[in-house]
Amino acid sequence: MTDSRRIVLSSDHAAIELRQAIAAHVAAQGFEVTDIGPVSPESTHYPKHGEAAARRVATGEADLGIVVCGTGQGIMMAANKVKGIRCGVCSDTFSARMIRAHNDANMLALGARVLGEGLALEIVDAFLGEAFEGGRHGTRVEMIMGIEG
Ligand code: RB5
């Protein structure tokens, strides 16, 4: 089965291997994947990589984003600073489905020092396989997006 959705991926140095495994896994399913790196294992700063992926989603260059750092937490915080982004860290498949179904998350964050590759790929599949339910959840997402300051 192919999927026309465009997925952008980024990480910091702590998560290069997992990010590349996710990129290959997602591409093999027919998604259009843009992996914006980094490639070098040199220490880098997760905020700039989280922001870079988030901007691709916010501008519509990508439909969904997946970002990875050691815990997933820092890169999630950076992504959520970009207007229009709803990014959640997940360590289980239930949460990954629910952030799509109820929160209309457009980005997923993962911790490479938290998860094994097998579980991480299942979480990615759960996230990409779910759709937003809308309805009352739409009202709540609009409320989130209306929060300023
Ligand atoms: C890098 O050492 C580490 O701080 C980073 O990958 C991430 O876990 C931050 O949230």
Side-chain angles (χ1 to χ4, degrees):
M1 193 177 107
T2 60
D3 196 306
S4 60
R5 280 183 297 173
R6 299 155 303 158
I7 314 297
V8 62
L9 283 116
S10 75
S11 74
D12 70 358
H13 57 281
I16 290 175
E17 270 185 36
L18 180 57
R19 189 198 76 234
Q20 290 175 338
I22 293 169
H25 178 78
V26 171
Q29 294 179 42
F31 290 92
E32 188 182 318
V33 174
T34 304
D35 183 349
I36 59 172
V39 175
S40 160
E42 250 172 69
S43 183
T44 181
H45 303 301
Y46 59 80
K48 66 181 184 184
H49 302 292
E51 180 188 356
R55 292 216 179 276
R56 301 263 184 140
V57 175
T59 58
E61 290 170 79
D63 299 306
L64 296 171
I66 301 174
V67 286
V68 198
C69 68
T71 59
Q73 303 291 348
I75 205 161
M76 173 274 288
M77 292 177 198
N80 276 320
K81 295 290 286 186
V82 175
K83 194 171 169 59
I85 295 304
R86 291 174 300 281
C87 182
V89 182
C90 292
S91 295
D92 65 276
T93 56
F94 177 73
S95 298
R97 287 200 311 274
M98 295 310 284
I99 65 169
R100 290 285 300 129
H102 284 193
N103 312 120
D104 199 18
N106 47 18
M107 294 188 69
L108 169 69
L110 299 168
R113 294 175 178 160
V114 179
L115 302 166
E117 183 180 307
L119 178 56
L121 296 182
E122 286 191 18
I123 291 169
V124 166
D125 289 345
F127 178 76
L128 295 180
E130 194 66 55
F132 181 48
E133 286 178 15
R136 68 186 188 282
H137 302 297
T139 304
R140 294 163 186 169
V141 170
E142 280 170 23
M143 289 172 73
I144 295 173
M145 301 321 282
I147 297 171
E148 289 185 15

